Amino acid sequence: MTEPSGASSDKPRRPVVVPAVALVAFTAVGITALLGGLSEAPDEPEPLGQGAVLDQGLYSTKFVESRVTVERAKTQFEEDKRFVELVFDVTNQGDKTFSVGLPAQKLEQAFSLDSFAASLLNITPAFDKDAGPFAFAQAKGNESRQLQPGVTSQVIVRYRLKDDEQPPDRITMDVASFEEEPQFGSNDLAWRMVAKEVGDKWLPEIKARVTLTVKKGDAA
C-alpha cells in the first residue's frame, strides 16, 4: 500500500553540521553589531623626514634640518648662547602677506591662526617656557617676521638651551594644513587651518608627522 500523504517517516533526520569557523564568524559579527558596528582605525599622519616637502595649502614647506647653533657673545660681559633650530624653506602660496608667527601654546588655540609657525603642533621633546620659541624668516639676506606672496623664505624656529643642557637627538612635530573657506556672511574666501570639532573645542587635523635628527657638530 502507498503510505498516506503527510505521514511521518521512520527514518531519522541527519543533523545539520555548521562549520566551527562559520559559528565563530557569525558570533563575532553579532557582537560587533551589538557594540555599534565595525569601526575603522584612525588614519595615521604621513611620516616625513629631512628634505621632505609638504603642501600645506597656504604654504609649501620643505623641512630642511634641525641643528644646534651658537650665537657668540659680542662683549666680555655677555655669554655665548646655544640654540636648537628648526629650519624650513617656506613658500607663501596665498595672494597676500602672512606672518611667520609662533607655535601656539595650546592646541585648541592654533586653529584660529593662519601664520606658518602656528601649524607646527606638538613639538617634542618639549622645551622650557624660558627657552622660547623665537621665529623669523630670512629672504635675500634680510630678516623678517613676514612671508610675502610667491616668495620662498628660510624660516627658523629656535629654542635656547641652558648652559648645561644637552640638545635632544631628534625632534618630532605634527604639522597642520590650511584650506580656503567662505567667510561668515560673505562669499569672500579666507585661509583657515583644517580642524575638526571635538566636544566644545576645535582641534587642528594633523596632516604629517615630521622627525628631524638634530645636527650637533661642535656646538653641542
Side-chain angles (χ1 to χ4, degrees):
M1 294 179 63
T2 305
E3 197 174 73
S5 176
S8 62
S9 172
D10 293 335
K11 292 183 179 180
R13 296 182 178 180
R14 290 186 180 182
V16 178
V17 179
V18 179
V21 174
L23 286 173
V24 172
F26 179 80
T27 303
V29 171
I31 293 175
T32 303
L34 289 174
L35 293 177
L38 295 172
S39 59
E40 296 182 0
D43 294 335
E44 286 294 319
E46 182 182 2
L48 300 177
Q50 180 176 330
V53 177
L54 179 66
D55 184 359
Q56 296 181 259
L58 177 54
Y59 306 105
S60 175
T61 303
K62 180 179 180 178
F63 302 93
V64 179
E65 64 179 350
S66 177
R67 65 195 182 196
V68 178
T69 59
V70 177
E71 203 173 82
R72 298 298 180 186
K74 297 179 180 179
T75 70
Q76 60 179 341
F77 303 106
E78 297 179 345
E79 296 180 346
D80 293 346
K81 299 176 183 178
R82 294 183 308 139
F83 297 90
V84 173
E85 294 184 340
L86 304 172
V87 185
F88 313 88
D89 286 343
V90 181
T91 303
N92 176 358
Q93 300 186 125
D95 55 6
K96 68 176 185 178
T97 300
F98 286 90
S99 172
V100 173
L102 290 172
Q105 294 183 351
K106 295 182 179 180
L107 192 62
E108 57 267 27
Q109 296 174 344
F111 89 97
S112 63
L113 305 173
D114 55 18
S115 68
F116 164 72
S119 69
L120 307 178
L121 313 169
N122 301 325
I123 297 176
T124 55
F127 293 86
D128 292 340
K129 291 183 178 180
D130 295 339
F134 312 94
F136 55 90
Q138 293 178 326
K140 300 179 181 179
N142 298 318
E143 188 174 307
S144 174
R145 298 293 189 277
Q146 295 181 329
L147 298 171
Q148 303 296 329
V151 177
T152 300
S153 305
Q154 185 167 92
V155 173
I156 296 176
V157 178
R158 52 165 40 176
Y159 296 85
R160 185 177 178 181
L161 296 170
K162 297 177 181 177
D163 292 341
D164 57 349
E165 185 178 2
Q166 292 299 311
D169 293 329
R170 61 186 60 85
I171 290 180
T172 299
M173 71 198 90
D174 293 337
V175 184
S177 61
F178 301 84
E179 63 184 359
E180 284 188 301
E181 294 184 349
Q183 298 187 59
F184 181 75
S186 170
N187 291 327
D188 295 336
L189 297 177
W191 287 100
R192 305 292 185 194
M193 191 175 293
V194 179
K196 59 183 177 182
E197 190 173 9
V198 180
D200 59 349
K201 301 176 182 179
W202 283 88
L203 301 180
E205 293 188 7
I206 300 171
K207 184 175 181 67
R209 180 163 293 150
V210 184
T211 300
L212 300 175
T213 300
V214 179
K215 298 179 180 179
K216 301 175 182 179
D218 297 332

